[in-house]
Amino acid sequence: MILVDAFDLRILGALQDDGRLTNQQLAEIAGLSASQCSRRRMRLEQDKVIAGYRAELASEALGFGVIVFIHITLATHSPDNAKKFRALINRVDDIQEAYALTGDADYVLKAVLRDLKSLSDIVNNVLMPHPSVAHVRSSIVLDRLKESARLPLKVAAR
């Protein structure tokens, strides 16, 4: 874990809100000079606390209207089988996130798709036929109540 202070937390919190802030804008928010802020930002990037910058795209505006969570149970629980399954999901661009779990399912996948036909294709033509997979259960999202990639940083008041 990297140690960060209140200035770093203000910088990180501001960048979570708007990754396009100029160094001057960021310095004003953090309460630092532009040069101090720049050095801190560079250190946070070098230490991989800031993992990267990217545009957040609106999935529905681009025709991706179906979000689905897919629960996977593996056929066998061996390192080789898990490796084959991980290789499979890394080849499928429709799968945005994948997590190994405790409980009834071995994995849960989040996929963003254009339509139910796309879901059918992934389930029936990609996941079910794969030798590493025993069971597939999908849950279609009816309504998105909250979506956030923000970390719950505690920023000290100035």
Side-chain angles (χ1 to χ4, degrees), residues 66 113-125:
V66 176
L113 308 164
R114 292 193 182 276
D115 50 34
L116 294 178
K117 171 79 170 88
S118 300
L119 173 59
S120 177
D121 288 343
I122 287 179
V123 170
N124 295 316
N125 301 327

Side-chain angles (χ1 to χ4, degrees), residues 72-91:
I72 303 290
T73 304
L74 295 182
T76 61
H77 293 90
S78 68
D80 185 53
N81 202 42
K83 184 177 177 181
K84 288 177 185 174
F85 178 73
R86 288 172 190 243
L88 169 69
I89 61 169
N90 281 309
R91 290 192 306 266

Side-chain angles (χ1 to χ4, degrees), residues 46-149:
Q46 290 169 349
D47 290 346
K48 305 292 187 219
V49 173
I50 298 173
Y53 300 90
R54 65 177 162 264
E56 186 177 322
L57 306 180
S59 59
E60 289 180 2
L62 293 168
F64 296 92
V66 176
I67 301 170
V68 62
F69 289 93
I70 304 168
H71 301 261
I72 303 290
T73 304
L74 295 182
T76 61
H77 293 90
S78 68
D80 185 53
N81 202 42
K83 184 177 177 181
K84 288 177 185 174
F85 178 73
R86 288 172 190 243
L88 169 69
I89 61 169
N90 281 309
R91 290 192 306 266
V92 181
D93 289 337
D94 296 320
I95 297 171
Q96 285 189 318
E97 300 175 33
Y99 301 95
L101 304 175
T102 61
D104 295 336
D106 295 312
Y107 296 92
V108 67
L109 315 175
K110 177 188 172 194
V112 177
L113 308 164
R114 292 193 182 276
D115 50 34
L116 294 178
K117 171 79 170 88
S118 300
L119 173 59
S120 177
D121 288 343
I122 287 179
V123 170
N124 295 316
N125 301 327
V126 177
L127 297 172
M128 288 300 294
H130 198 271
S132 67
V133 174
H135 300 287
V136 176
R137 183 175 51 95
S138 61
S139 299
I140 298 169
V141 173
L142 298 176
D143 191 14
R144 185 181 322 179
L145 304 178
K146 180 178 180 179
E147 180 179 46
S148 175

Side-chain angles (χ1 to χ4, degrees), residues 4-68:
V4 294
D5 62 17
F7 292 110
D8 293 332
L9 288 174
R10 281 192 217 111
I11 290 169
L12 294 170
L15 288 173
Q16 280 193 128
D17 289 336
D18 184 357
R20 296 173 58 171
L21 289 172
T22 66
N23 193 58
Q24 184 60 45
Q25 292 169 319
L26 196 55
E28 290 171 13
I29 292 168
L32 296 167
S33 71
S35 61
Q36 289 174 315
C37 186
S38 179
R39 284 191 297 274
R40 283 175 177 267
R41 184 182 197 163
M42 285 177 21
R43 179 183 52 81
L44 292 167
E45 290 169 351
Q46 290 169 349
D47 290 346
K48 305 292 187 219
V49 173
I50 298 173
Y53 300 90
R54 65 177 162 264
E56 186 177 322
L57 306 180
S59 59
E60 289 180 2
L62 293 168
F64 296 92
V66 176
I67 301 170
V68 62

